[in-house]
Amino acid sequence: MTPLVAIVGRPNVGKSTLFNRLVGGRPALVHDTPHLTRDRRYGEADYFGAPLRIVDTGGLDPEALSEVIGAGIHRQAMVAIGEADAIVLVVDGRAGVSAIDKELADKLRVTGKPLFLAINKIDHPTNEHLVHDFHELGLPAIYPVSASHGRGIDALLEAVTQATGSVRPADQDAPGDDDDFDPLFDGPADEEEEPEVDRNAPPERLRVTFVGRPNAGKSSLTNRLLGEERSLVHHEAGTTTDPVDADFSIGDRDYVLVDTAGIRRKARIDADIERIAVSMAIGQIERADVVVLVIDADLGPSEQDARIAGKVEEAGRALVIALNKSDLVTGDEKKAKLRDLSEETFHFLTWAPTTMISAQRGDGVDRLLNLVERAAAEHRKRIPTAQLNRFFAEVIQEMPPPLFRGKAVKVHYITQAASKPPTFVLWASSLDGLSPSYKRFISNRLRETYGFRGTPIRIFVKARKDRHKA
């Protein structure tokens, strides 16, 4: 099993910056505000073929333990420390040794796990004299680094991989073992023909992203599915900042569940942190296989929920709408009002299934997963061209395309060009001859015949000259 390395430390020492440096890209939100990282965030690193799993944690501050969120951050970090194979304690080299650094060093030392001290913000050799103060922490494995610039990271990773026993695959040489190999010119000796891929086959891990307004219950739903507190839950809006990825398996299916920050209207977002968090949440829609729009059923859907759903449709992602807190919706009148409001708000999303759930009690969560699976299957569905054209011949006979500039538009054939989302191309005699209303008619007939419940459909027109004309 790949070793897990926990990154811990007091607030604002650069833990998330180091996490981003190790796993690549910018998957963790970075800002100079304490307690920004609140949940455990996992990523994967590879040091010349030696794999590591990295978990980023919130800042540990004993003074914040009396607060609900502060206590939650502490619990999350303690879980990460408990499951880790090695620990990297990050300190701020410029700020010097603090009382919290000393307390953390003492607590982490007694775990008996490999412990590394990463003295961050040592951006230049002229700053290395700052390292000496940290010897008083009594930790032998000291590594001056600059997480933002990458300085000293190699030495830290080399030590961590050796201590955790992370090894590169047997058929992969260590760096420098083969100086004659040039990755730009040398390739595999024998190129095998690419195997045929079943495009309708389910992915190895289905990426399911929960989005919605603040306090809709996204984190509660994530925790309910995982059976543990992976996302902090609190009535204060904005408790979740970073998107939180979590592996989840049930039966023979594997998922990656992604909890995101609540998405509010731009006019109500007045802090840098929330703007970045919302931007990252919207970015997660693009990466998802299926998006679950979580709505507080007691409040009912709003224009903002419609905007979020519109972004999902624009991104071409599969969508399931989950009306959470259904246990608060009692009485026939209130249920009828919720149903009517949902139909009115999402009138443009008749293809998206809607279900009632209670993340707190667990009601309807199994049904939600079934809908997610079905939506994912419809999202990747492909229809053979011959079958499509038999279907389309009947559609044309039922309703031929309307005249365009006084002339009949001839549609030669239809084909499915892509899946995820299902994308169809109509080869017609005129590029502009098929109106949006006629394309909607085709889309509706495709749904009636083939389903596609839970996924948007794309229809494009390409011009093709009639070969029988001179």
Side-chain angles (χ1 to χ4, degrees), residues 227-262:
E228 63 169 330
E229 184 185 36
R230 276 291 302 277
S231 297
L232 293 184
V233 177
H234 192 254
H235 59 78
E236 176 187 328
T239 304
T240 300
T241 49
D242 278 311
V244 178
D245 291 16
D247 292 335
F248 169 67
S249 297
I250 184 170
D252 59 352
R253 290 295 289 117
D254 298 325
Y255 302 84
V256 177
L257 305 181
V258 185
D259 183 20
T260 64

Side-chain angles (χ1 to χ4, degrees), residues 26-57:
R26 290 194 59 189
L29 204 163
V30 178
H31 197 271
D32 58 359
T33 301
H35 307 308
L36 186 54
T37 299
R38 296 169 177 179
D39 308 294
R40 287 173 283 152
R41 302 198 71 258
Y42 293 80
E44 296 179 355
D46 184 291
Y47 183 65
F48 292 105
L52 293 169
R53 291 177 64 228
I54 313 294
V55 55
D56 184 23
T57 64

Side-chain angles (χ1 to χ4, degrees), residues 257-279:
L257 305 181
V258 185
D259 183 20
T260 64
I263 302 174
R264 296 199 291 173
R265 287 192 295 120
K266 286 185 178 180
R268 295 187 177 181
I269 300 174
D270 53 9
D272 288 345
I273 295 169
E274 190 177 355
R275 274 197 295 271
I276 298 170
V278 168
S279 176

Side-chain angles (χ1 to χ4, degrees), residues 170-205:
D171 60 349
Q172 183 170 346
D173 294 328
D177 286 355
D178 187 357
D179 294 333
D180 295 328
F181 177 74
D182 188 339
L184 293 178
F185 298 101
D186 295 342
D190 299 311
E191 290 192 6
E192 296 183 1
E193 187 175 333
E194 185 177 348
E196 191 172 328
V197 177
D198 182 359
R199 298 178 186 272
N200 288 331
E204 290 186 4
R205 292 195 303 172

Side-chain angles (χ1 to χ4, degrees), residues 297-298 325-338 356 361:
D298 193 37
K325 307 181 186 180
S326 61
D327 50 306
L328 302 179
V329 182
T330 56
D332 293 340
E333 184 179 345
K334 195 169 184 179
K335 290 178 181 177
K337 185 177 179 181
L338 175 61
M356 300 277 283
R361 297 198 317 191

Side-chain angles (χ1 to χ4, degrees), residues 392 411 413-414 424-428 434 442 459-462:
F392 196 62
V411 181
Y413 64 94
I414 184 174
F424 300 89
V425 176
L426 296 169
W427 294 87
L434 298 182
I442 298 298
I459 294 182
F460 298 97
V461 179
K462 287 194 175 183

